[in-house]
Amino acid sequence: MPQCLTVAVSQSHTLPTTSATLAALASTTREAARQGVDLLLFPEAYLGGYPRTCNFGAAVGSRSGEGREQFLQYLHSAVDLGDTPRGAGDAWVERKLEVAKGKEHRGDGTREVLERVAAETGVFLVVGIVERAGGSLYCAAVYVCPRKGCLGKRRKVMPTGSERIVWAQGSPSTLKAVTTTIKGVKLTLAAAICWENYMPLLRYALYSQNVNLYLAPTADSRDTWLPLMRTAAYESRAYVLSANQCVRRKHLPSWIRSSPSEKAGSSSASNVTPKSEEASANAKAKEPQEVKISALDHGDVPKTPEPTPIDKAHGIVSPSPLHL
């Protein structure tokens, strides 16, 4: 019996403030819900921002004053989810961490906003986040269920290249899949963030948990990315969703634009079936706020030699407003 879900990826870019980005996330999610979307993936570092082209004034053995100021600005733009620097795991998920006297919750309220948006729209959210904990920043992805709130969160194990200047290493203990049921369809989903997808053993750590929905929020728009997503789909026998921000240089924070740098780059997104087929065209976004929607048939997704292909797909649509 067919078990169909409608999933989508957003190519939205980070806005100048966290509150503005959260408002855009809520608007995009509401429009996606009106299109019948059950699960929506946002790109890597959507909340907090991906500091593309910024070198933070770093050279071997030195840091410039301007670069230190840039990091301070970036630190303030990150979100506080109320977790510890080490990562509290289930204690964070289950809200067992101590809350300061006089406070309603830990963190800056971002977790609560995400949970409220998911609950109000009925859309399961997976959101790329730059998370502040102590004095460190982590590239993370959070899974938000409309019924139960945050089911889990994981941090990028090894930041890529110069990302290591500003992002700390996440714990491998966060490489855990989460399970949920949407419209009677049982899902085991997990996210590998950007370059983690190029790490075979990390991919296998997720495959071994029997994922049937593999998520890849990214900042990589090179031609090598789509073949990698096809590989992940074929290896895992899972559906693969990938989302990247469509960003122009004018969309970067002023503290980055004030320094001469290269072109900011563009975006691509992909929805790939377990047979390594594209559910919809892997076109690069032409506008900064775009969403791709696909209908997935999970009726035969379990690790079969020939999983049932996606039965229909829609092209790129604009979430503000969303038109098919």
Side-chain angles (χ1 to χ4, degrees):
M1 182 176 181
Q3 293 180 302
C4 293
L5 295 177
T6 301
V7 297
V9 295
S10 169
Q11 298 182 84
S12 304
H13 67 81
T14 307
L15 297 180
T17 65
T18 298
S19 59
T21 308
L22 283 170
L25 178 148
S27 176
T28 299
T29 305
R30 286 193 296 268
E31 294 294 343
R34 279 194 272 272
Q35 295 293 330
V37 169
D38 301 302
L39 182 146
L40 178 59
L41 172 66
F42 283 89
E44 178 183 20
Y46 178 56
L47 295 179
Y50 189 83
R52 190 176 296 277
T53 75
C54 186
N55 60 23
F56 292 94
V60 176
S62 68
R63 291 273 305 282
S64 70
E66 179 188 12
R68 293 177 186 276
E69 181 62 29
Q70 287 177 322
F71 180 74
L72 181 62
Q73 295 291 331
Y74 192 44
L75 184 73
H76 290 326
S77 70
V79 301
D80 182 359
L81 298 176
D83 202 355
T84 65
R86 184 177 180 180
D90 290 342
W92 177 81
V93 172
E94 298 168 9
R95 296 183 179 274
K96 293 182 178 179
L97 297 178
E98 184 179 357
V99 177
K101 187 176 181 179
K103 298 288 186 179
E104 295 182 0
H105 50 71
R106 293 176 60 90
D108 60 11
T110 298
R111 172 180 179 168
E112 288 69 26
V113 171
L114 293 175
E115 290 178 333
R116 183 172 66 250
V117 171
E120 290 175 351
T121 60
V123 177
F124 192 108
L125 297 175
V126 183
V127 185
I129 287 174
V130 177
E131 178 189 8
R132 183 176 68 250
S136 295
L137 300 180
Y138 300 88
C139 179
V142 62
Y143 312 97
V144 190
C145 173
R147 293 173 287 106
K148 298 181 179 180
C150 287
L151 296 183
K153 172 172 62 68
R154 64 159 312 246
R155 292 169 173 171
K156 194 172 186 177
V157 172
M158 177 57 73
T160 309
S162 55
E163 293 171 356
R164 299 173 198 175
I165 297 172
V166 290
W167 292 348
Q169 290 178 287
S171 170
S173 65
T174 68
L175 284 168
K176 295 195 301 185
V178 300
T179 58
T180 190
T181 300
I182 302 176
K183 292 182 177 178
V185 179
K186 294 182 179 180
L187 291 179
T188 301
L189 57 149
I193 304 171
C194 202
W195 193 272
E196 289 182 331
N197 289 277
Y198 290 103
M199 302 165 66
L201 293 182
L202 190 145
R203 294 200 309 271
Y204 179 76
L206 301 182
Y207 300 163
S208 66
Q209 298 173 66
N210 204 36
V211 297
N212 56 8
L213 183 58
Y214 183 100
L215 307 165
T218 189
D220 191 341
S221 61
R222 296 173 301 171
D223 291 340
T224 52
W225 187 255
L226 179 56
L228 178 63
M229 294 298 95
R230 289 173 174 158
T231 297
Y234 212 75
E235 285 182 335
S236 65
R237 309 309 262 176
Y239 289 104
V240 173
L241 302 181
S242 179
N244 191 355
Q245 297 188 39
C246 179
V247 61
R248 309 287 186 251
R249 184 159 182 79
K250 65 182 180 181
H251 302 135
L252 295 174
S254 59
W255 50 267
I256 293 180
R257 297 198 311 271
S258 62
S259 298
S261 187
E262 60 187 275
K263 182 181 177 182
S266 60
S267 166
S268 62
S270 53
N271 301 343
V272 186
T273 79
K275 291 202 301 183
S276 193
E277 298 170 343
E278 291 179 74
S280 51
N282 190 62
K284 294 192 175 184
K286 298 179 181 178
E287 297 299 331
Q289 307 288 335
E290 292 190 336
V291 167
K292 296 178 73 173
I293 299 177
S294 298
L296 306 186
D297 184 351
H298 275 269
D300 204 21
V301 159
K303 315 297 180 180
T304 56
E306 293 294 333
T308 302
I310 293 172
D311 54 8
K312 63 177 180 177
H314 303 286
I316 294 177
V317 294
S318 171
S320 303
L322 207 78
H323 295 302
L324 288 175

